[in-house]
């Protein structure tokens, strides 16, 4: 069984209130020195059999049409794992 | 006059929208997300709520519901469609409207009586309002910040497609205080505030505000009157 990991991030110009909340919480626990936190999404897609180039191409298409909204998000990684 | 109201798993305001349709003088027709058929309705309301639990992104899963196939075709063909709150998010995810709705900039859910100015009145949903008219209807959202790139925003402004704008404090970080927009033809309107909650005396925003609590009803009477005279 093969797996493909897709990572999606909000575009840099889109405000990320969740990331900001995390950033503000870090120093409260003593984690100082971080200037920015951006929170994204990670998807793991499993297939029966190997991850062929064709599978990868289909995942890329799914990432661009369903897993991300190109108005506000970028697909930053589509990677074969395992 | 038959106006459809779509129910997705997780829709909340479908009953309220249907009631608004009836009070405006039309027959409300329940449309089911799994039924790829609009049953010959003359207009459609996509109601508020949390379709599919807001999983993935608000409205992202609803976009692929069977009912959306014929709805997108009909909307492109001129059918009046109003998306309220989650319905607005579904319209953006379906690419019937530009832009997207993201989490409120202040990170908290907002629920308040919201003043709006109605800026575009030549849509089937706003024809009963006067240009620039100030109304008060409830606003309740966690992800109501309207965003789009500068070029799209300029295009919306330039083509007069900003249907409603927040008056006073921006309640959710929407770019240019945009509360509602339309497609180029004007038949598809998305609105983050909830006109269907301001249609009956005593139930809408406080009547002592001088608005009577009925400010939302004309979104529905607009479309009914437009369809009758068509």
């Amino acid at each position: 069984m093969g797996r493909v990991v897709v990572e999606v991030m909000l575009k840099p110009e889109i405000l990320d209130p969740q990331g900001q909340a995390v950033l503000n919480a870090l120093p409260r626990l003593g984690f100082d020195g971080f200037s920015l936190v951006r929170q994204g999404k990670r998807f793991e897609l499993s297939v029966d059999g190997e991850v062929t180039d064709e599978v990868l191409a289909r995942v890329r298409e799914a990432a661009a049409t369903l897993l991300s909204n190109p108005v506000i998000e970028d697909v930053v990684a589509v990677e074969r794992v395992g | 006059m038959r106006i459809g109201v779509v129910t997705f798993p997780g829709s909340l305001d479908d009953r309220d929208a249907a009631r608004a349709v009836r009070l405006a003088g039309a027959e409300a027709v329940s449309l089911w997300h799994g039924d790829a058929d609009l049953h010959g309705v003359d207009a459609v309301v996509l109601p508020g709520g949390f379709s599919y639990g807001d999983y993935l992104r608000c409205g992202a899963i609803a976009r692929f519901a069977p009912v959306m196939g014929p709805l997108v075709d009909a909307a492109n063909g001129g059918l009046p469609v109003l998306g309220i709150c989650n319905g607005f998010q579904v319209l953006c995810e379906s690419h019937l409207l530009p832009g997207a709705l993201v989490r409120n900039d202040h990170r908290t859910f907002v629920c308040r009586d919201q003043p709006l100015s109605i800026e575009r009145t030549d849509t089937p949903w706003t024809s009963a309002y006067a240009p620039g008219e100030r109304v008060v209807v409830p606003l309740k959202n966690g992800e109501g910040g309207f965003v789009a790139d500068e070029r799209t925003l300029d295009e919306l402004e330039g083509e007069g497609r900003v249907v409603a704008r927040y008056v006073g404090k921006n309640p959710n970080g929407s770019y240019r205080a945009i509360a509602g927009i339309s497609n180029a033809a004007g038949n598809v309107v998305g609105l983050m505030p909830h006109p269907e909650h301001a249609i009956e005396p005593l139930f809408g925003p406080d009547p002592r505000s001088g608005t009577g609590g009925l400010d939302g009803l004309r979104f529905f009477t607009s479309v009914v009157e437009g369809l009758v005279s068509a």
Side-chain angles (χ1 to χ4, degrees), chain A residues 17 41 65-69, chain B residues 56-57 63-64 93 105 107:
Chain A
K41 290 175 188 161
T65 51
L66 175 60
L67 303 184
S68 73
N69 177 347
Chain B
L56 188 59
R57 296 176 306 276
R63 168 193 169 193
F64 297 100
E93 283 284 345
D105 56 355
R107 300 195 292 269

Side-chain angles (χ1 to χ4, degrees), chain B residues 30-106:
Chain B
S30 290
L31 299 177
W32 186 240
H33 65 96
D35 185 7
D37 189 342
L38 298 181
H39 297 279
V41 295
D42 303 296
V44 170
V45 177
L46 296 177
F50 300 87
S51 61
Y52 299 88
D54 278 350
Y55 291 171
L56 188 59
R57 296 176 306 276
C58 302
I61 311 274
R63 168 193 169 193
F64 297 100
V67 74
M68 290 303 292
L71 179 65
V72 168
D73 290 344
N76 285 326
L79 184 80
V81 177
L82 174 65
I84 302 167
C85 192
N86 188 223
F88 187 6
Q89 294 161 339
V90 174
L91 291 175
C92 287
E93 283 284 345
S94 308
H95 308 306
L96 285 170
L97 293 176
L101 284 310
V102 300
R103 191 172 298 271
N104 298 345
D105 56 355
H106 46 74

Side-chain angles (χ1 to χ4, degrees), chain B:
Chain B
M1 183 63 43
R2 301 166 73 245
I3 299 180
V5 179
V6 177
T7 299
F8 296 103
S11 292
L12 288 183
D13 298 319
D14 42 345
R15 299 284 184 115
D16 292 54
R19 185 170 177 81
V21 164
R22 285 194 295 273
L23 285 173
E27 179 191 346
V29 178
S30 290
L31 299 177
W32 186 240
H33 65 96
D35 185 7
D37 189 342
L38 298 181
H39 297 279
V41 295
D42 303 296
V44 170
V45 177
L46 296 177
F50 300 87
S51 61
Y52 299 88
D54 278 350
Y55 291 171
L56 188 59
R57 296 176 306 276
C58 302
I61 311 274
R63 168 193 169 193
F64 297 100
V67 74
M68 290 303 292
L71 179 65
V72 168
D73 290 344
N76 285 326
L79 184 80
V81 177
L82 174 65
I84 302 167
C85 192
N86 188 223
F88 187 6
Q89 294 161 339
V90 174
L91 291 175
C92 287
E93 283 284 345
S94 308
H95 308 306
L96 285 170
L97 293 176
L101 284 310
V102 300
R103 191 172 298 271
N104 298 345
D105 56 355
H106 46 74
R107 300 195 292 269
T108 52
F109 195 92
V110 61
C111 184
R112 60 184 305 229
D113 296 343
Q114 179 63 48
L116 305 172
S117 71
I118 305 296
E119 306 214 341
R120 179 171 186 181
T121 57
D122 64 344
T123 82
W125 300 99
T126 53
S127 55
Y129 293 94
E133 187 173 345
R134 188 175 174 281
V135 303
V136 180
V137 301
L139 175 77
K140 44 171 195 161
N141 66 73
E143 302 195 30
F146 179 76
V147 299
D149 59 35
E150 284 295 309
R151 193 179 54 82
T152 304
L153 292 168
D154 289 342
E155 210 171 276
L156 287 169
E157 303 264 13
E159 294 173 5
R161 289 164 57 190
V162 176
V163 172
R165 220 183 287 267
Y166 299 115
V167 173
K169 185 176 173 287
N170 189 328
N172 47 26
S174 290
Y175 290 178
R176 305 195 191 181
I178 289 172
I181 58 169
S182 73
N183 64 349
N187 62 302
V188 178
V189 170
L191 196 65
M192 191 39 62
H194 289 265
E196 80 281 19
H197 295 328
I199 55 165
E200 284 174 281
L202 300 180
F203 289 92
D206 186 358
R208 284 170 298 187
S209 67
T211 65
L214 299 173
D215 281 358
L217 186 59
R218 277 176 289 161
F219 275 89
F220 303 93
T221 56
S222 289
V223 75
V224 171
E225 282 161 19
L227 289 167
V228 166
S229 60

